[in-house]
Amino acid sequence: MIDAPPRPTAAVVPAAAASLAATPRLTSLDVFRGVTILAMILVNNPGQWGAKYQYLPLEHADWHGWTPTDLIFPFFLFIVGVSLVVSFSRRELAGAAPQALARKAVLRGALIVLVGLLLSGFPTYDLSHLRIPGVLQRIGVVYALTALIFLGFG
């Protein structure tokens, strides 16, 4: 039998990285994220479009009221907020500087906005039809602002 090479010990890995890697995941948040993504796929692909064939709760509500479909975006924002607090708290405990975290958060928010703009313009990139306040753009802005508020006041 061939012996496997020894694994690196904690002494080889820096203490901050080891503390981040050893932290368990928040299972409830992972389950909620998975269920929300599943619901998003369902409401975005309900089968045949149109009032005659579409299951009523899978349509967006008129101006008044709401349906389960209208909860998907707020659920994603809730997930972003909880993930942000958990992640930044761990990194601050590991010794990360708030300025570095703020810079990363703003860059990540800008990247999410940029990806949203690229996807909304695909494949023609006609600027007259570009949807600037799209879903990913809003998530990117909310992420960056929430991160700055958390780092400033948290």
Side-chain angles (χ1 to χ4, degrees), residues 22-92:
T23 308
R25 295 193 53 93
L26 192 57
T27 306
S28 59
L29 185 64
D30 288 339
V31 170
F32 186 57
R33 182 183 297 122
V35 169
T36 303
I37 290 173
L38 190 79
M40 180 192 68
I41 292 169
L42 178 65
V43 301
N44 287 342
N45 302 296
Q48 294 183 352
W49 289 98
K52 183 177 179 183
Y53 299 108
Q54 193 172 358
Y55 184 52
L56 190 59
L58 298 183
E59 292 181 353
H60 284 284
D62 294 328
W63 181 251
H64 57 284
W66 63 274
T67 66
T69 299
D70 299 315
L71 295 176
I72 303 299
F73 185 70
F75 284 173
F76 270 114
L77 291 183
F78 176 79
I79 291 166
V80 166
V82 172
S83 300
L84 183 140
V85 170
V86 170
S87 174
F88 283 9
S89 297
R90 286 189 327 165
R91 284 177 168 51
E92 282 180 334

Side-chain angles (χ1 to χ4, degrees), residues 117-131:
L117 288 172
L118 289 173
L119 289 175
S120 71
F122 186 78
T124 61
Y125 298 105
D126 181 10
L127 294 180
S128 65
H129 291 97
L130 188 65
R131 183 169 182 206

